Amino acid sequence: MTTLLLVRHGLTAMTGPVLAGWTPGVRLDERGRAQAAAVAGRLAALPLAAVVSSPLDRCVETAESVAAPHSRDAGGTVDKVEIDERFGEVRYGDWTGRPLKELAEEPLWRVVQAHPSAARFPGEDGEAMADAQHRAVAAVRDWNERITAAHGPDAVYAVCSHGDIIKAVVADALGLHLDQFQRIQADPASVTAIRYTELRPFVLRLNDTGGDVAGLLPKPDEGDDRKTGSGASDAVVGGGA
């Protein structure tokens, strides 16, 4: 019943008009730092077992803000932000650093929009969208096992990553083909919460940018029968209350 909080990094000067990708040195701007502080405040009340980040600066900065209230000095259990390259941005290859308006004129743009599972970005370091999803989902599975082993089945942890990576992980959790992942939104500094159980994941929040987060913690009586998977993994018929 590990709960994953996917946090997108805050705004940078390149967010929106330019495809930043793996461009080095892209840090949060003033707006992004304020967003990171705000999301850290929202998540401060949750007992985070770990905070993991993409290696890119804008994510690390956001993750450090999220981790600060959960450090051992603050009475928490987080020693440091863990870096996992598998949560790094899609490698956009030759598209990196180019304006989105310009990229929208490329033939590949329509493939990315309508058939992303077939898209591979150009250039020596260009990555296929399907490969990016595979590495990110594999990382989630690995961290779920690691967090559960160290902190128990009800642990909550945060991963700071990028829009397309978050959308790809959500698509997997929803059982959607990657070609449908463009229907999912992940805004800067948003929180998306997924609870992983033995039978299925539950998407608890999607692209959440405000409000109380107490409901993200497992209820005391939730999943009493973890040996068989019933309870924790069962969906409520009728929607529940």
Side-chain angles (χ1 to χ4, degrees), residues 37-104:
V39 74
R42 290 184 61 212
L43 300 180
L46 297 180
L48 297 185
V51 178
V52 187
S53 178
S54 153
L56 296 175
D57 290 340
R58 56 195 184 275
C59 280
V60 174
E61 287 182 293
T62 305
E64 286 176 345
S65 290
V66 171
H70 307 279
S71 69
R72 293 198 181 276
D73 289 344
T77 60
V78 177
D79 290 317
K80 62 178 181 178
V81 172
E82 303 279 356
I83 304 299
D84 191 328
E85 188 163 313
R86 294 175 295 178
F87 291 120
E89 180 62 286
V90 178
R91 293 189 179 274
Y92 295 114
D94 293 347
W95 277 26
T96 302
R98 293 177 60 188
L100 291 177
K101 281 187 177 181
E102 182 181 299
L103 293 173

Side-chain angles (χ1 to χ4, degrees), residues 178-233:
L178 183 59
D179 286 348
Q180 307 302 321
F181 101 125
Q182 298 292 23
R183 301 181 181 201
I184 299 165
Q185 185 81 6
D187 291 327
S190 63
V191 176
T192 293
I194 306 171
R195 181 165 298 146
Y196 287 87
T197 75
E198 184 177 355
L199 294 184
R200 63 176 62 86
F202 291 92
V203 178
L204 308 177
R205 300 278 179 94
L206 180 62
N207 195 36
D208 185 0
T209 56
D212 179 62
V213 294
L216 299 179
L217 293 175
K219 297 177 178 60
D221 59 348
E222 193 172 4
D224 290 333
D225 190 2
R226 294 196 181 92
K227 292 182 180 179
T228 64
S230 63
S233 299

